[in-house]
Amino acid sequence: MKCQNLKYVLSAFLLAVPFAASANMVWPSLYIVGQYYSWYVILAGLLIETIAAHIFKKTSWIKSFGIMLATNAISALIGLLLIPLSGILVEFLTIPFGGGTFQLSHWILDYLCVMLANTCIEGLALNLIFKYPFKTNFWWLLGANAISVIICVFVP
């Protein structure tokens, strides 16, 4: 393996270490990301977002499902890194207000960060891949993601 490739592999490995080492600090977002990849949450999220795409984009059911499958795959790949990072951001933002990781405010802020991150990633994917303008899709994507992500929080 070339030295340059080894550098990238080691960088990815070292980037993952803080997530495991500080799991107690970002626990709400790690809980959400853990649920985010369970089959029933994926299925429910795809169903909710396919219905929303069908209604708001006025496309066929098959095209709506294909669009949401592609954007959710991209969102899931990026979210694997972005969701725990958003949890760290929430922790740093709430330090001045005291409390701990398990406070209701942390759960709410983590939920809002994940919902907003998913919406932005999926909106950008819609724009780049399917040429649907981000601005016209933001609100229905936000609503669909609000429902999808709340499932991650409340369904064990």
Side-chain angles (χ1 to χ4, degrees):
M1 185 182 299
K2 289 183 179 178
C3 185
Q4 186 175 2
N5 292 341
L6 181 62
K7 179 173 64 173
Y8 292 124
V9 170
L10 289 175
S11 296
F13 175 74
L14 292 175
L15 183 63
V17 170
F19 295 140
S22 59
N24 62 342
M25 186 172 106
V26 294
W27 196 80
S29 65
L30 288 179
Y31 179 82
I32 291 170
V33 81
Q35 295 299 96
Y36 191 71
Y37 295 101
S38 54
W39 69 269
Y40 49 87
V41 171
I42 292 169
L43 188 62
L46 276 173
L47 180 66
I48 291 162
E49 293 181 24
T50 297
I51 292 169
H54 177 72
I55 292 169
F56 292 102
K57 295 311 302 168
K58 304 202 184 326
T59 59
S60 71
W61 287 106
I62 294 173
K63 185 171 182 181
S64 297
F65 179 75
I67 290 169
M68 289 295 94
L69 187 63
T71 58
N72 276 283
I74 293 167
S75 178
L77 289 173
I78 296 171
L80 191 58
L81 181 64
L82 197 60
I83 292 172
L85 286 175
S86 72
I88 292 171
L89 177 67
V90 165
E91 293 304 316
F92 283 121
L93 291 175
T94 56
I95 285 173
F97 305 107
T101 299
F102 299 103
Q103 297 291 326
L104 180 60
S105 60
H106 294 242
W107 281 95
I108 292 170
L109 287 173
D110 278 325
Y111 165 75
L112 292 173
C113 283
V114 171
M115 179 183 63
L116 196 56
N118 284 353
T119 300
C120 290
I121 294 166
E122 290 172 13
L124 289 172
L126 275 174
N127 188 343
L128 295 173
I129 297 169
F130 299 101
K131 306 301 183 217
Y132 292 139
F134 180 79
K135 194 186 264 188
T136 60
N137 296 300
F138 178 79
W139 291 110
W140 70 264
L141 273 173
L142 185 69
N145 276 295
I147 297 167
S148 296
V149 175
I150 203 72
I151 293 170
C152 294
V153 175
F154 288 114
V155 175

